[in-house]
């Protein structure tokens, strides 16, 4: 319906378009006047969603070597030098390959996670645990490359950016199935 | 000693009364602006466990064995956090709705309170509730075995209203809900649930939400695993696909014996547990009448029937369900029992309105193996000993 193309040069025009949009939206809703229509720049600033196909990833790049150094300063304190986890306190980021169908299943980035984008997104939004959201996109690409390398998923020479990251095939990419519910049949 | 102390306490009151030259009285406490429970009840508390030395990853459990009825006092509601509890100024907090909508919209708390409100009673259960039972480390009390479960009266706005207010588009299939906690936890919710009975709530048991429950705003998905009812909600992103966020891939997916994992297994299965008499309690005064009482719940809708056994599951009798039996709420069941004073093993099992019967632990293990700690809902039993003590078996 109302999809103005935002270009900063046309700011006055934009405002009018927005107001028109707002008016139409209000006229159509059941509860007119409740809630504030917002402009694209507000949405853009808040929208941190990263989709599995890479939509939402910011432009940037980083390689395994840069990632190794960044990991050492930002992550090793908790997740240990080679991502093996620490003191049963902080989760391991490596290992567990081949264990999922055993009683000693170990779920890690390498053995379990289906999408490389989720690794990027987890680090970008929630790590380092005590200081989340502070890493720049380039740094997150580099650390992601390093964590994937620790898991043997990408070579030591790998560089990742917003185009190549979603193409990384995770070992357990096909490990998830839709839920059939209910799945347990009790006998009376 | 105790006598002397109460005598001294009384003397202090008398002195105070004399000073204000009023008639002597034994009134010990006046009104308070915010009520406290009786001092003798103050030991009824949640157990909080931090999982790592990084404070904020952990849970606290509800002492269900100590509660009456179905409502959990807000201060005893279980919590499960992945990055602590944020401090949020409600005057600045907004909810952004964007993505596949005609017009992105932002709602303040005041905006939301202008809309027609609904109040509904629903349980929230952590998907990991009872996981210990599955792994064979059964909890000694109901809190230990089932304490990641609580039930409140929630007040807010149907999510459907907000999506329609922004003009949700027909091709929209998912809504990604994101919270304002330190890890900006996000979950993707199927559109059908958003339009069916999902709520965006600001009220809990007549008050504002508690900070640990998402103050000032949370998503409330009746009957879905607790993690998906995103707390501190500030963004709803309407999309065609799920985000495949950390919490819906690395966690809250159910690993089966063949190495494949069930994903988006939101619905909490039909479940029940006897809370009285239950593990850690003691029947005092010997043989005679004891009411067996407990709670039942299901993400499928309403509980239709609860049966109770006093012989370890060999024979069953119907328990009475306390009205009103509400959809996706805890339900209190009661069964009269004249205890003969001998050893007994007591159990409960629930059936929901779809006909689904709560299975045993063995039946769950047969279907799912033991690798997934999520969605456990097996029949729970307690052993009553001749001395009245009740233990987990």
């Amino acid at each position: 319906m109302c999809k103005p193309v935002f270009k900063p040069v046309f700011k006055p025009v934009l405002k009018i378009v927005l107001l028109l949009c707002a008016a139409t939206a209000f006229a159509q809703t059941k509860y007119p006047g409740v809630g504030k229509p917002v402009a694209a720049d507000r949405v853009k600033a808040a929208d941190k969603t990263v989709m599995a196909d890479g939509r939402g990833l910011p432009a940037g790049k980083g390689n395994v070597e840069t990632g190794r150094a960044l990991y050492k300063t930002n992550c090793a304190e908790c997740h240990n030098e080679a991502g093996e986890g620490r003191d049963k306190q902080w989760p391991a980021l490596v290992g567990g390959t081949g264990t999922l169908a055993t009683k000693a299943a170990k779920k890690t980035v390498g053995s379990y996670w289906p999408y490389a984008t989720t690794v990027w997104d987890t680090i970008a939004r929630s790590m380092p645990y005590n200081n989340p959201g502070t890493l720049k996109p380039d740094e997150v690409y580099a650390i992601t490359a390093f964590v994937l390398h620790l898991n043997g998923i990408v070579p030591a020479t790998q560089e990742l950016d917003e185009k190549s990251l979603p193409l990384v095939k995770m070992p357990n990419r096909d490990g998830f199935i839709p839920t059939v519910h209910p799945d347990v049949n009790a006998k009376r | 000693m105790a006598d002397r102390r109460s005598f001294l306490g009384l003397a202090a009151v008398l002195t105070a009364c004399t000073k204000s030259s009023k008639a002597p009285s034994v009134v010990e406490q006046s009104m308070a602006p915010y009520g406290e429970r009786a001092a003798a009840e103050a030991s009824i508390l949640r157990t909080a466990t931090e999982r790592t030395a990084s404070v904020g990853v952990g849970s606290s459990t509800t002492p269900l064995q100590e509660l009456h009825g179905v409502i959990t006092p807000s201060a005893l509601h279980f919590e499960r956090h992945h990055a602590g509890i944020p401090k949020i100024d409600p005057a600045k907090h907004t909810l952004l709705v964007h993505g596949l909508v005609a017009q992105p919209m932002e709602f303040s708390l005041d905006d939301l309170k202008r809309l027609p409100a609904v109040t509904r009673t629903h349980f929230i259960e952590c998907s990991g509730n009872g996981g210990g039972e599955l792994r064979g480390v059964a909890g000694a009390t109901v809190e230990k075995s089932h304490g990641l479960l609580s039930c409140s009266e929630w007040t807010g706005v149907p999510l459907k209203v907000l999506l329609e207010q922004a003009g949700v588009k027909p091709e929209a299939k998912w809504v990604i809900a994101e919270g304002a906690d330190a890890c900006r936890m996000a979950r993707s919710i199927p559109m059908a649930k958003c339009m069916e009975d999902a709520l965006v709530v600001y009220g809990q048991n007549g008050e504002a939400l508690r900070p640990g429950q998402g103050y000032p705003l949370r998503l409330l998905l009746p009957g879905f695993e607790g993690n998906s009812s995103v707390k501190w909600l500030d963004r709803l992103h309407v999309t065609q696909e799920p985000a495949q966020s950390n919490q819906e891939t690395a966690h809250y997916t159910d690993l089966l014996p063949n190495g494949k994992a069930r994903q988006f297994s939101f619905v909490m299965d039909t479940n029940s547990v006897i809370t009285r008499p239950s593990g850690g309690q003691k029947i005092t005064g010997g043989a005679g009448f004891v009411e067996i009482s407990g709670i039942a719940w299901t993400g499928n809708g309403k509980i239709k029937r609860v049966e109770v056994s006093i012989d370890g599951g060999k024979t069953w009798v119907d328990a009475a369900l306390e009205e009103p039996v509400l959809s996706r709420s805890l339900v209190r069941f009661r069964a009269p029992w004249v205890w003969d004073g001998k050893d007994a093993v007591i159990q409960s099992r629930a059936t929901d309105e779809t006909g689904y019967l709560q299975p045993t632990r063995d039946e769950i293990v047969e279907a799912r193996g033991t690798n997934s700690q999520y969605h456990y809902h097996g029949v729970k039993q307690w052993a009553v000993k001749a001395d009245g003590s009740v233990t987990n078996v």
Side-chain angles (χ1 to χ4, degrees):
Chain A
M1 194 191 62
C2 293
K3 245 197 186 165
V5 179
F6 297 120
K7 284 208 183 115
V9 262
F10 297 136
K11 257 197 177 137
V13 182
L14 181 79
K15 267 194 186 129
I16 293 163
V17 176
L18 264 182
L19 280 175
L20 285 174
C21 279
T24 354
F26 282 176
Q28 285 174 351
T29 61
K30 209 162 157 190
Y31 306 108
V34 181
K36 193 174 83 191
V38 293
D41 55 348
R42 158 81 175 99
V43 172
K44 202 168 169 233
D47 183 0
K48 296 277 192 273
T49 308
V50 172
M51 302 296 284
D53 63 5
R55 270 174 300 156
L57 279 172
K61 60 176 193 300
N63 62 34
V64 172
E65 272 323 298
T66 325
R68 189 187 303 277
L70 286 165
Y71 179 91
K72 210 174 160 88
T73 41
N74 291 292
C75 325
E77 168 203 346
C78 293
H79 295 288
N80 223 337
E81 300 301 319
E84 64 272 41
R86 206 183 275 282
D87 307 333
K88 287 191 181 160
Q89 291 260 326
W90 292 284
L93 307 180
V94 298
T97 306
T99 65
L100 295 184
T102 71
K103 286 220 154 132
K106 188 175 175 192
K107 299 188 277 181
T108 73
V109 169
S111 69
Y112 196 60
W113 295 30
Y115 299 99
T117 46
T118 310
V119 186
W120 194 98
D121 179 57
T122 300
I123 298 169
R125 74 170 60 220
S126 66
M127 293 295 141
Y129 183 83
N130 291 335
N131 218 357
T134 54
L135 296 168
K136 294 182 192 73
D138 284 355
E139 296 174 316
V140 181
Y141 283 109
I143 297 170
T144 304
F146 178 65
V147 171
L148 293 176
H149 175 65
L150 282 177
N151 280 289
I153 297 168
V154 301
T157 51
Q158 185 79 44
E159 180 176 87
L160 289 174
D161 61 19
E162 74 276 15
K163 294 271 176 336
S164 55
L165 174 73
L167 302 177
V168 173
K169 176 135 199 252
M170 299 294 275
N172 196 39
R173 171 65 188 84
D174 302 321
F176 292 83
I177 52 171
T179 294
V180 178
H181 187 264
D183 63 321
V184 188
N185 289 306
K187 283 170 257 346
R188 192 168 275 282
Chain B
M1 195 58 193
D3 280 347
R4 193 161 146 234
R5 217 177 297 153
S6 59
F7 176 78
L8 286 173
L10 185 59
V13 173
L14 287 174
T15 322
C17 290
T18 319
K19 270 196 193 130
S20 62
S21 73
K22 279 194 192 133
S25 131
V26 288
V27 172
E28 289 192 33
Q29 205 180 324
S30 185
M31 278 82 67
Y34 198 86
E36 293 272 337
R37 56 192 171 166
E41 303 291 322
S43 63
I44 295 172
L45 297 166
R46 296 180 296 202
T47 312
T49 317
E50 294 283 355
R51 301 246 170 134
T52 80
S54 302
V55 173
V57 185
S59 56
S60 59
T61 44
T62 298
L64 291 163
Q65 70 279 5
E66 305 287 355
L67 304 184
H68 315 291
V70 297
I71 297 293
T72 308
S74 300
L76 294 177
H77 197 292
F78 89 87
E79 295 176 11
R80 171 79 176 98
H81 308 303
H82 291 273
I85 303 171
K87 274 203 185 108
I88 295 178
D89 178 352
K92 293 197 184 112
H93 192 81
T94 59
L95 175 60
L96 177 65
V97 183
H98 71 101
L100 293 173
V101 295
Q103 172 63 59
M105 300 276 281
E106 192 171 46
F107 299 92
S108 67
L109 265 289
D110 285 346
D111 290 336
L112 294 174
K113 287 173 186 170
R114 277 172 64 164
L115 292 167
V118 296
T119 294
R120 296 202 184 122
T121 303
H122 291 300
F123 71 83
I124 300 185
E125 183 181 21
C126 177
S127 173
N129 198 28
E133 302 288 305
L134 178 73
R135 290 189 298 274
V137 274
T141 64
V142 182
E143 175 176 0
K144 290 263 187 291
S145 62
H146 291 79
L148 292 167
L149 166 73
S150 302
C151 186
S152 295
E153 191 194 77
W154 307 97
T155 300
V157 182
L159 175 52
K160 181 174 190 270
V161 168
L162 302 182
L163 293 174
E164 285 174 354
Q165 194 74 356
V168 61
K169 294 186 173 171
E171 65 267 32
K173 293 280 175 299
W174 293 80
V175 175
I176 302 162
E178 192 174 274
D181 52 347
C183 67
R184 293 209 62 83
M185 212 209 73
R187 286 293 305 258
S188 311
I189 317 299
M191 187 56 77
K193 184 66 175 177
C194 297
M195 297 312 242
E196 186 201 348
D197 62 353
L199 301 173
V200 170
V201 300
Y202 43 77
Q204 178 187 8
N205 297 330
E207 297 181 301
L209 294 174
R210 292 288 165 115
Q213 292 308 316
Y215 181 82
L217 202 64
R218 82 174 299 169
L219 191 60
L220 200 280
L221 302 178
F224 270 25
E225 60 190 18
N227 179 263
S228 60
S229 284
V230 174
K231 293 178 281 195
W232 313 291
L233 183 71
D234 70 358
R235 190 164 75 91
L236 293 168
H237 188 176
V238 185
T239 60
Q240 267 187 305
E241 301 89 15
Q244 306 288 356
S245 72
N246 175 295
Q247 300 289 325
E248 62 205 23
T249 54
H251 306 278
Y252 302 104
T253 44
D254 317 336
L255 187 57
L256 300 174
N258 66 3
K260 302 279 179 200
R262 303 159 85 220
Q263 196 184 15
F264 301 118
S265 53
F266 294 109
V267 179
M268 296 311 292
D269 293 292
T270 303
N271 207 339
S272 70
V273 63
I274 294 170
T275 57
R276 185 166 287 271
S278 66
Q281 296 175 346
K282 187 160 180 152
I283 304 171
T284 54
F289 184 86
V290 183
E291 183 182 69
I292 293 177
S293 161
I295 46 177
W297 65 101
T298 173
N300 290 338
K302 284 183 186 167
I303 289 289
K304 205 175 93 193
R305 180 183 188 191
V306 176
E307 295 156 281
V308 167
S309 172
I310 53 165
D311 55 11
K314 284 193 211 84
T315 59
W316 297 88
V317 295
D318 277 355
L321 302 184
E322 212 161 55
E323 297 287 338
V325 176
L326 300 170
S327 184
R328 296 165 179 156
S329 161
L330 292 192
V331 174
R332 172 77 42 190
F333 65 85
R334 303 180 187 283
W337 180 33
V338 180
W339 179 44
D340 59 9
K342 297 192 184 115
D343 287 3
V345 173
I346 59 174
Q347 301 183 347
S348 66
R349 66 178 188 192
T351 306
D352 68 36
E353 62 181 339
T354 72
Y356 182 80
L357 170 69
Q358 181 184 356
T360 62
R361 178 180 178 277
D362 288 349
E363 286 166 333
I364 292 177
V365 170
E366 194 187 314
R368 299 180 181 166
T370 52
N371 267 340
S372 168
Q373 70 268 45
Y374 301 122
H375 294 276
Y376 180 79
H377 60 296
V379 168
K380 174 74 185 167
Q381 62 179 10
W382 306 108
V384 179
K385 295 273 165 254
D387 68 357
S389 62
V390 188
T391 54
N392 160 72
V393 276

